[in-house]
Amino acid sequence: MAYERSERTGAEDDADTALALKILVAGGFGVGKTTLVGAVSEIRPLRTEERLSRAGELVDDTGGVDRKTTTTVAMDFGRITIRSGLSLYLFGTPGQDRFWFLWDELSQGALGAVVLADTRRLEDCFPAVDYFEHRRIPFVIAVNCFTGARAYGAHDVSRALDLDRGTPVVLCDARDRDSGKEVLIRLVEYAGRMHAARLLDTVG
C-alpha cells in the first residue's frame, strides 16, 4: 500500500521518513490516462507508447478518439509530491482488453485508483469499475471534460455507472496540473477513510 524511505543528513540524529503511496490511473482506451500522468508528474514520466497500426484497428475501438495515433502497451509512470513527506507514485494502466493481464501486477500494493471517464464513451470505464470493486480497491471516478462533449453532473455519472454510495465522482481536465492534483487529493482522502473503516471493522 505504501513505500517508506528514510533520509538522514550528517547534522541530523533523527531520520526524516518520507511516505510514498502507489496510485493507479485506469480507464478506457483514449480517455486521457497518459495525459493525466504527464500533467501532474514532477519528473519526466516514463511512457511505453507505440503507434497505432492497421492490425490494431481490428481489435481497438477508436470511435470517438479518431485523432489518437499512439497507445500505451505496458504502463505510464510518474511521481508527484502532495506535501512535505508525502509523495504519490502514479502508474497508468493500458486501456485495451488485450493488455488487462498487466493490471494484476500493477495493482499489487496500490492505495487506490483513479478511473478516468469520457461521457461520450462512458461504457468504456465499466471494466475498470468492476475490477476495483471486486478487489475492494478504493477508487474515484474522474470525468475528463473533453471539448465539445455534453456536460453531465457528478450525480448523473454516478447513477449511470451504478456506483456504490459514497464513491466520489469529480470533474477534471486531464491536461491541467492543478485539476489533476485535486483528483489525486480526493482519492487519497477517500482511500484513507476506506482503509481506516476496514481496519476498525477487523478490530471490532
Side-chain angles (χ1 to χ4, degrees):
M1 186 190 316
Y3 307 90
E4 291 186 358
R5 68 177 188 274
S6 296
E7 299 172 352
R8 184 190 296 270
T9 65
E12 293 177 328
D13 293 326
D14 297 326
D16 181 22
T17 301
L19 184 65
L21 305 175
K22 182 179 182 181
I23 301 296
L24 300 185
V25 180
F29 178 63
V31 77
K33 301 180 294 295
T34 298
T35 300
L36 177 64
V37 172
V40 300
S41 180
E42 63 196 21
I43 62 173
R44 183 177 180 179
L46 168 67
R47 292 174 174 166
T48 55
E49 289 195 310
E50 295 291 341
R51 294 191 63 82
L52 291 172
S53 64
R54 289 182 177 271
E57 293 177 359
L58 301 175
V59 290
D60 295 328
D61 178 11
T62 58
V65 286
D66 308 90
R67 296 182 180 180
K68 186 173 175 61
T69 59
T70 61
T71 184
T72 299
V73 296
M75 68 174 186
D76 300 310
F77 174 77
R79 186 188 72 206
I80 179 174
T81 299
I82 295 295
R83 57 173 172 76
S84 177
L86 176 60
S87 297
L88 302 182
Y89 290 165
L90 308 175
F91 292 82
T93 65
Q96 303 97 310
D97 298 11
R98 65 185 187 278
F99 295 126
W100 281 352
F101 67 92
L102 295 170
W103 285 37
D104 288 338
E105 290 292 332
L106 292 175
S107 64
Q108 290 295 320
L111 174 75
V114 173
V115 177
L116 274 173
D118 178 354
T119 56
R120 300 169 302 178
R121 297 157 52 103
L122 197 58
E123 67 281 0
D124 287 2
C125 68
F126 277 124
V129 170
D130 289 341
Y131 182 91
F132 296 123
E133 283 184 343
H134 287 133
R135 287 160 181 78
R136 302 188 71 208
I137 297 175
F139 67 93
V140 301
I141 298 293
V143 180
N144 194 6
C145 298
F146 286 90
T147 302
R150 182 178 175 182
Y152 291 91
H155 180 67
D156 294 327
V157 173
S158 180
R159 289 184 58 188
L161 293 176
D162 193 25
L163 298 175
D164 290 340
R165 184 176 180 181
T167 302
V169 177
V170 294
L171 307 182
C172 74
D173 182 343
R175 302 166 299 180
D176 183 76
R177 176 179 173 83
D178 290 337
S179 180
K181 189 172 181 179
E182 284 301 314
V183 171
L184 296 173
I185 290 173
R186 285 287 299 276
L187 172 61
V188 171
E189 292 174 344
Y190 175 64
R193 293 194 302 269
M194 293 292 289
H195 285 295
R198 291 171 185 171
L199 181 61
L200 289 176
D201 286 342
T202 61
V203 172

